[in-house]
Amino acid sequence: PQTTGLLYPRESETREVRSLDGIWNFVQSDQYNVTQGIRERWYKDDLSKVRKTIPMPVPASYNDIGEDAGLRDHVGTVWYDRRFFIPKYWLKEKRVWIRFGSVHYDAIVWVNGVQVVKHEIGHLPFEAEISNNVLYGKENLITVLCDNALLQTTIPQGSISEKPTDNGVTLIQSYTFDFFNYAGIHRSVVLYTTPKLYIEDVTVKTDLADKNGSVHYEVKVNGDKGNWLTYVKVNLRSKEGDIVASHKSGPELKGTLKVENVKPWWPYLMHPEYGYLYNLEISLCNDEQEDIDIYRLKVGIRTLAWDKSSFRINGEKVYLRGFGRHEDSDIRGKGLDLALITKDFNLIKWIGANAYRTSHYPYSEESMQFADENGIMIIDECPSVDTDNFGQALLDKHKSSIEQLIHRDRNHPSVVMWSIANEPRTKSLSADSYFEKVANFTRSLDPTRPVTAALNAAADEDKAGKHLDIISFNRYNGWYRNPGRLDMIIRNVMDEAKLWNKLHNKPVLMSEYGADTVAGLHLLPAFIWSEEYQATLFSKHFKAFDNLRKVGWFIGEFVWNFADFKTEQSYTRVGGNKKGIFTRNRQPKAAAHLLRKRYFGLCQEL
Ligand code: GCB
């Protein structure tokens, strides 16, 4: 997997970006003949010449586009293709790239019948240079094979079994995680160009001292430098566009920009000016030519620090208030939807939250940019859910998912923690060394952010907590535990949080709590599944949190979930998981109004 390059595709004076989003042609493979397309080389020509294709939107999950359960529940491979033009003038002085925001779970991409890239693990971008594969001034063909199969060595894990049906047999994909295994080309596909000698990668780290900020940058370039001495000129611009700092690097292409009277990046409502971003403008030059390549990156200047009892941004203690979420909506499934992201951020701000966890996988790069702009702190989670059967192959893939995630997101000021797993089975002995390795690997890649995981084993049986910097725990008091009992919550939440802290002497946050709630179901006295029950269950948790906040090391509360979402079919799920404070259509349940009061109240207090 790629752990260099992959800069978010942006236009500039030297770069062009063209979208390949739109309607593609689509073929579902026969479940029992998944390799047929490869054997018969369907990528050599239009899919429509070998099979009847159907129209499929990109980006979107394919599962809910049809009206056929066979497509929704498909296990194995599907094919996409479309044609596109490459202008003739791109041939001169340009490199041409193809980039996918994410394809779930496995993908192989061919351009004009030649394989150009292969990628495994959904929710993460990948790209390939296709300068030598495309026809200039002509039409070209792109073909994508996507496989949704989850096995014991994939991230997340699953298993496939064969079951008899009324007409024969079928393959069933099972998994223990609680969200639908949507698949397809989930995020945008773009063609973009760079010059032959180009900026391949940029890393920034920031610091603050009194009123001064600094931005350390490091640039990687790729391509033939010739005999010229290469350097970068870097400008840091304010939001208003004024240059506030400049630097000219030596041939090592790195340096530090000093910013006087800095405007730090603050979380939402922690400061009147939250989410402040500078614009870092990088120009690649040599002794002969300036502006060989230009790339711009938004930068938030902030520091993070943590110890046994606190988590601080810019030296100030932060209390995180937010939720776990999903990328999920009607029809599109996990497909990128800018209307949805924009609406969600409006709702996040309406409710007064300052954080969320990207449960249970990396979210779109576009949503990370929104988080930067809005001062929303992100606990950035890799796609490891319910991890079990710890082995070397799984460990390698788990590390790869973290490496790719950190590579993609390391420059976002909004990312304040890495979550290396959700509800791993950490009771088992083998979880100990497994999570020691995963946590240390994460720290070795990024020592500037704390490592956490959302744990749900009993605190005194868990083997992973000791390897983390911050303990996050998920617990469903009044739901999976003592359903219907609203009178045991305060004590249980407090006891558990205290136990985690006592065992590890680290900051603790509650990463999940909640209750399934059917919007419009009212039952008094509060009864499970009703709006009254969800609201009362929340208010009990608030009491526990208020008591815990007095002790200092309790640093955050996260409701499960922001919105209702689709899951696998099960008798515990009514049309999906209904623990949202918003419905799947983003309308508030009663508890949303209560949460809004609390979250705004919390930020006034602080
Ligand atoms: C959990 C999981 C989450 C589920 C939730 C639930 O503990 O982390 O993925 O959706 O419980 O509602 O059961």
Side-chain angles (χ1 to χ4, degrees), residues 434-453:
Y434 183 93
F435 280 99
E436 180 176 22
K437 286 178 194 137
V438 177
N440 287 341
F441 178 72
T442 309
R443 267 181 221 111
S444 73
L445 296 177
D446 180 13
T448 72
R449 294 174 174 95
V451 175
T452 192

Side-chain angles (χ1 to χ4, degrees), residues 14-243:
T14 58
R15 294 171 170 237
E16 283 182 61
V17 180
R18 286 197 175 190
S19 170
L20 288 189
D21 291 351
I23 301 290
W24 291 46
N25 309 303
F26 179 89
V27 178
Q28 191 180 341
S29 313
D30 172 358
Q31 296 209 142
Y32 279 92
N33 217 343
V34 284
T35 55
Q36 181 187 19
I38 301 251
R39 277 186 281 113
E40 296 177 3
R41 307 216 249 164
W42 289 1
Y43 48 84
K44 284 287 177 196
D45 205 341
D46 298 79
L47 290 169
S48 61
K49 296 210 174 128
V50 287
R51 278 285 177 288
K52 185 177 168 349
T53 61
I54 58 168
M56 190 56 71
V58 169
S61 301
Y62 58 73
N63 308 77
D64 290 347
I65 297 295
E67 53 308 296
D68 155 26
L71 179 59
R72 184 192 62 205
D73 301 334
H74 178 71
V75 183
T77 57
V78 299
W79 292 78
Y80 290 77
D81 80 0
R82 66 164 281 169
R83 292 197 161 260
F84 62 97
F85 283 94
I86 294 278
K88 210 171 192 168
Y89 71 91
W90 280 11
L91 182 55
K92 272 200 231 150
E93 295 168 23
K94 297 250 181 247
R95 289 175 192 257
V96 183
W97 300 82
I98 181 89
R99 188 185 195 278
F100 291 78
S102 115
V103 178
H104 187 76
Y105 172 81
D106 258 331
I108 307 180
V109 181
W110 293 263
V111 170
N112 295 326
V114 175
Q115 185 179 317
V116 294
V117 61
K118 216 174 154 186
H119 183 263
E120 178 180 345
I121 307 183
H123 322 287
L124 291 160
F126 56 94
E127 67 182 6
E129 188 188 344
I130 54 171
S131 310
N132 297 328
N133 303 94
V134 289
L135 303 169
Y136 294 85
K138 295 213 168 87
E139 205 181 33
N140 292 267
L141 174 69
I142 180 166
T143 313
V144 178
L145 175 67
C146 162
D147 188 351
N148 68 354
L150 298 180
L151 307 169
Q152 282 305 289
T153 52
T154 59
I155 300 282
Q157 292 166 296
S159 55
I160 294 175
S161 55
E162 189 177 65
K163 293 220 167 119
T165 66
D166 294 342
N167 311 314
V169 284
T170 191
L171 292 179
I172 309 267
Q173 169 79 69
S174 28
Y175 41 88
T176 56
F177 57 81
D178 186 36
F179 53 93
F180 194 80
N181 187 37
Y182 278 117
I185 304 181
H186 276 162
R187 296 184 191 144
S188 290
V189 186
V190 297
L191 282 172
Y192 73 94
T193 67
T194 62
K196 292 257 149 84
L197 177 64
Y198 68 101
I199 296 168
E200 182 185 41
D201 217 347
V202 185
T203 309
V204 294
K205 289 200 179 105
T206 64
D207 259 325
L208 283 171
D210 295 326
K211 289 192 165 173
N212 300 320
S214 38
V215 177
H216 312 285
Y217 70 88
E218 190 166 350
V219 174
K220 266 197 198 157
V221 300
N222 193 17
D224 185 5
K225 294 181 188 160
N227 296 325
W228 306 103
L229 209 58
T230 313
Y231 60 94
V232 286
K233 280 195 317 187
V234 180
N235 286 328
L236 191 71
R237 288 182 187 271
S238 68
K239 218 173 202 163
E240 299 68 36
D242 305 321
I243 295 180

